[in-house]
Amino acid sequence: MNDIEAIAALQDPVRRRLYEYVAAQGREVGRNEAAEATGVARTLAAHHLDRLAEAGLLDTGSRRLTGRSGPGAGRPAKVYTRSREERAVSLPARDYRTAAELLAEAAEQAGLDAGLCVAARRRGEGLRGSAAPCGGLEEAIEVLAARGYEPHLEGAEGEGSAGDAAVVRMRNCPFHAVAERFPPLVCGMNLALLEGLLGTDGPVRARMAARPGECCVVVERAAEPADGDV
């Protein structure tokens, strides 16, 4: 199925809600959970989830959702996760990815990492404009969501906790394709961009903390200055 047909599969509002729910979880989702979360019947959810899988927008698997194994544990259920394959439509055709990869290759070979980070931080500051640095993790989540990073809060006491050890992780890297080929260069650029966007002298900070399948940067509360520090 080509990209136009795959994206067209999201035209149905129920199907789109199911896709958005599965994508937002960052884990395998069963039919019952998806149906309950989106307020539709299980049979309808199953139909649309399978259509999304046929379109290549979701990947499928099977596992027991009871958490038990052995006799009496029940049959494995079909589960869904968002596909890692990218889909894009451009009319007329454009190929910005090739241009980005060529520029990244030239920058890496010329040792322009530092200059790229300076430009990225300046771009982030320009995107922030006259606004003050982000005032907290909740505000950072709003800013990151608007840029397509798909942020979510993780805390020492579990997902969604806003305790002192909470961090904002991001399920999507907007530069994923180029970052896979040139990770040090592009991840460094991404960190500098977010430093400019969120600010470096406010109550939150961005830092590297790579984890498979997610953006290489996390956002956390900045450390409180020690007594006597200016």
Side-chain angles (χ1 to χ4, degrees), residues 158-220:
E159 185 83 11
S161 171
D164 291 340
V167 297
V168 176
R169 288 191 172 272
M170 294 163 268
R171 294 194 174 100
N172 182 51
C173 171
F175 317 110
H176 173 73
V178 187
E180 279 195 318
R181 289 196 58 190
F182 309 95
L185 181 79
V186 178
C187 291
M189 176 201 75
N190 187 30
L191 174 61
L193 177 71
L194 293 181
E195 286 176 339
L197 184 64
L198 303 175
T200 57
D201 54 352
V204 302
R205 68 171 184 132
R207 65 174 175 87
M208 288 285 193
R211 191 163 75 179
E214 294 188 337
C215 177
C216 59
V217 179
V218 300
V219 178
E220 63 188 6

Side-chain angles (χ1 to χ4, degrees), residues 10-192:
L10 295 172
Q11 183 176 2
D12 183 280
V14 173
R15 197 173 299 158
R16 186 165 60 250
R17 290 206 311 273
L18 285 162
Y19 173 80
E20 290 171 348
Y21 177 77
V22 173
Q25 304 315 301
R27 56 173 173 77
E28 294 176 329
V29 174
R31 289 170 167 174
N32 286 342
E33 178 188 346
E36 183 177 351
T38 55
V40 300
R42 183 186 184 280
T43 53
L44 182 61
H47 167 73
H48 284 302
L49 289 167
D50 285 340
R51 287 291 303 275
L52 290 166
E54 292 169 6
L57 297 172
L58 296 180
D59 292 333
T60 63
S62 63
R63 66 178 177 87
R64 288 187 173 92
L65 300 178
T66 61
R68 303 193 305 271
S69 60
R75 298 175 56 188
K78 195 168 187 178
V79 292
Y80 304 82
T81 56
R82 179 172 58 181
S83 172
R84 301 299 296 176
E85 185 176 355
E86 294 183 14
R87 300 285 186 173
V89 174
S90 176
L91 299 173
R94 298 288 187 261
D95 190 5
Y96 299 114
R97 175 173 171 175
T98 297
E101 290 178 347
L102 288 171
L103 290 169
E105 182 177 357
E108 187 173 76
Q109 292 176 353
L112 299 178
D113 304 55
L116 178 60
C117 286
V118 169
R121 191 172 291 106
R122 187 184 305 121
R123 173 60 64 92
E125 292 169 349
L127 292 171
R128 177 159 53 93
S130 60
C134 273
L137 295 183
E138 292 77 11
E139 184 179 345
I141 286 174
E142 293 180 6
V143 172
L144 294 167
R147 304 297 304 177
Y149 283 91
E150 298 183 5
H152 63 104
L153 191 66
E154 287 187 358
E157 299 177 1
E159 185 83 11
S161 171
D164 291 340
V167 297
V168 176
R169 288 191 172 272
M170 294 163 268
R171 294 194 174 100
N172 182 51
C173 171
F175 317 110
H176 173 73
V178 187
E180 279 195 318
R181 289 196 58 190
F182 309 95
L185 181 79
V186 178
C187 291
M189 176 201 75
N190 187 30
L191 174 61

